Amino acid sequence: VPADLPPPTQRLVAAERNRRRAIRLGENLRRAGSGRELLVIADAAAPTTRPRDVVLLDAPCLGTGTFARHPDARLRVTPDALRDLAKTQAHLLDGAAAAVRPGGLLVYATCSLEPEENEEQVARFLEAHPEFRREPSRAVPAECLSEAGDLALLPQRHGTDGAFSARLRRTA
């Protein structure tokens, strides 16, 4: 395990508030999981768990990083959709912060290339939550990191779907 990653977890709690999506998540966990996952119906905006060492928020997004594989997804990209998703992401990110213990990590991820869903979202969060700071991973190759130290995969550069993630350490 790289030095900047936490030790393996005893239990992974996977939360999804939409029952249909939770069923699909459960199927994926049974197929690809380790058996240590616990699936719960819950809302990241109002966590019902005790504070955890690591919380991953895989936020709903426009999915602009997947357009090469899903060209029809372009149809749902509108200024209103972007505004609404950014508002939802901010709400979820603020809520998920409560589930991170002091010293723990909050990882915010999207499959979007839009700054409003990524860099701007993290900047807004850090301004509103001074108890968190950005903590770039040393386990990610430098060519996959933004200037701020966030994971930034670009289809045209990396030959993958586009993706973004930021590691946010809770200091207090």
Side-chain angles (χ1 to χ4, degrees):
V1 176
D4 66 339
L5 295 178
T9 185
Q10 297 298 315
R11 173 68 81 184
L12 175 104
V13 179
E16 172 59 57
R17 76 176 185 178
N18 179 293
R19 288 191 183 278
R20 267 201 336 232
R21 289 178 57 96
I23 290 169
R24 184 172 170 204
L25 175 58
E27 292 166 354
N28 289 339
L29 289 172
R30 281 189 291 285
R31 185 183 78 253
S34 67
R36 296 182 299 192
E37 300 84 11
L38 171 65
L39 177 60
V40 297
I41 304 292
D43 187 347
T48 58
T49 182
R50 64 178 169 75
R52 301 287 176 173
D53 293 331
V54 180
V55 173
L56 166 65
L57 175 60
D58 183 6
C61 64
L62 285 176
T64 55
T66 67
F67 280 1
R69 286 187 305 114
H70 303 287
D72 58 314
R74 288 176 170 85
L75 300 174
R76 67 175 179 254
V77 176
T78 66
D80 288 343
L82 179 58
R83 185 192 66 247
D84 292 347
L85 277 168
K87 185 177 175 181
T88 297
Q89 292 160 349
H91 184 63
L92 292 172
L93 196 48
D94 290 339
V100 180
R101 72 160 178 78
L105 278 175
L106 172 57
V107 179
Y108 173 76
T110 73
C111 59
S112 178
L113 302 174
E114 306 309 308
E116 297 89 341
E117 296 184 283
N118 297 331
E119 299 88 355
E120 292 174 20
Q121 194 65 254
V122 172
R124 181 217 54 86
F125 174 80
L126 290 172
E127 187 172 314
H129 294 273
E131 72 276 21
F132 282 86
R133 64 176 167 75
R134 184 180 263 117
E135 183 179 279
S137 174
R138 294 179 308 226
V140 175
E143 62 269 11
C144 296
L145 295 175
S146 70
E147 287 184 23
D150 301 323
L151 175 71
L153 297 179
L154 303 172
Q156 70 276 16
R157 183 179 303 155
H158 301 106
T160 65
D161 280 350
F164 172 89
S165 72
R167 288 169 40 112
L168 308 169
R169 176 76 63 187
R170 184 176 195 146
T171 58

